[in-house]
Amino acid sequence: MEQKPARVRIVEAAHELMLGIGLARATTKEIAKAAGCSEAALYKYFSSKEELFVTVLAERLPRLGTLLSHLTAEPGEGTVEENLTEIARRAALFYEQTFPMAASLYAEPQLKRRHEAAMREMDTGPHKPIQGVDAYLRAEQKAGRIHAEADTYAAASLLIGACSQRAFAYDMAPGGTPPQPLDAFAASLARTLLRGIS
């Protein structure tokens, strides 16, 4: 059986380790070992662990950015409620998977600062989904499908914040499960948000 390319093995190993032990404890040395390559080979493809983390987010998790770019470029496609429901569903899944990876950063302030500086340097970070939803809502506002005076940035913050909080809050709840299944949560969130901005 043919072995997968080194880059693919590295991203897969990083994803598994970051999910299993968290971003703070998943070293490039351990990732390379799990991928069956040297640490030097890892650095041929990725300049830092942060770049590798961003790649894992982009390639292995629900594609929120792609959806937002498409919806912003094509306002008026589908109903706003359907679009917000799909955004909420993907965002909730995204945060459900990233929360266990990134939570370990908060236990190590120096590592967290280094990670944040690297994210700024790569022009990415947790503010990007809010900006993406805001851009989509502004496009719908220009198309006349959202009230002209609606605060799109506040609405985007509410939607993304609720999806992020869902991942955080219910990990610690009895049974570790949210009171609503994902699809019901996404539909309810979209419907409630839309009442405030339409």
Side-chain angles (χ1 to χ4, degrees), residues 108-138:
E108 298 185 34
Q110 278 186 326
L111 181 60
K112 182 176 176 286
R113 282 193 295 275
R114 191 186 87 209
H115 178 78
E116 288 168 349
M119 294 292 106
R120 279 191 291 277
E121 204 172 289
M122 288 186 277
D123 191 31
T124 191
H127 61 291
K128 289 294 187 177
I130 298 170
Q131 290 175 345
V133 175
D134 178 42
Y136 162 65
L137 292 174
R138 280 185 283 113

Side-chain angles (χ1 to χ4, degrees), residues 48-70:
S48 65
K49 185 168 76 170
E50 287 75 22
E51 184 183 348
L52 182 51
F53 175 62
V54 169
T55 301
V56 166
L57 297 183
E59 295 181 11
R60 295 286 183 256
L61 273 55
R63 303 222 172 179
L64 182 58
T66 306
L67 173 67
L68 292 171
S69 296
H70 171 75

Side-chain angles (χ1 to χ4, degrees), residues 6-187:
R7 185 188 181 283
V8 173
R9 294 194 324 268
I10 291 166
V11 173
E12 286 178 355
H15 182 216
E16 287 179 31
L17 280 169
M18 288 174 183
L19 270 177
I21 63 173
L23 182 59
R25 291 180 51 214
T27 65
T28 52
K29 186 175 184 174
E30 288 174 347
I31 293 167
K33 183 179 175 186
C37 66
S38 68
E39 198 172 3
L42 182 148
Y43 282 111
K44 279 176 51 180
Y45 298 98
F46 304 98
S47 63
S48 65
K49 185 168 76 170
E50 287 75 22
E51 184 183 348
L52 182 51
F53 175 62
V54 169
T55 301
V56 166
L57 297 183
E59 295 181 11
R60 295 286 183 256
L61 273 55
R63 303 222 172 179
L64 182 58
T66 306
L67 173 67
L68 292 171
S69 296
H70 171 75
L71 291 174
T72 302
E74 302 289 335
E77 191 174 290
T79 69
V80 176
E81 186 173 336
E82 289 167 345
N83 294 340
L84 288 174
T85 298
E86 184 57 18
I87 291 168
R89 192 181 73 71
R90 287 199 202 183
L93 281 171
F94 178 84
Y95 289 111
E96 188 178 295
Q97 293 178 41
T98 56
F99 182 70
M101 290 182 196
S104 60
L105 286 174
Y106 290 87
E108 298 185 34
Q110 278 186 326
L111 181 60
K112 182 176 176 286
R113 282 193 295 275
R114 191 186 87 209
H115 178 78
E116 288 168 349
M119 294 292 106
R120 279 191 291 277
E121 204 172 289
M122 288 186 277
D123 191 31
T124 191
H127 61 291
K128 289 294 187 177
I130 298 170
Q131 290 175 345
V133 175
D134 178 42
Y136 162 65
L137 292 174
R138 280 185 283 113
E140 291 289 14
Q141 199 172 41
K142 285 178 187 167
R145 299 204 316 165
I146 289 177
H147 194 280
E149 293 179 15
D151 186 333
T152 58
Y153 188 82
S157 298
L158 288 168
L159 186 138
I160 292 298
C163 294
S164 174
Q165 183 63 18
R166 182 179 191 267
F168 172 75
Y170 295 111
D171 257 3
M172 298 174 202
T177 57
Q180 283 183 307
L182 176 62
D183 289 342
F185 165 81

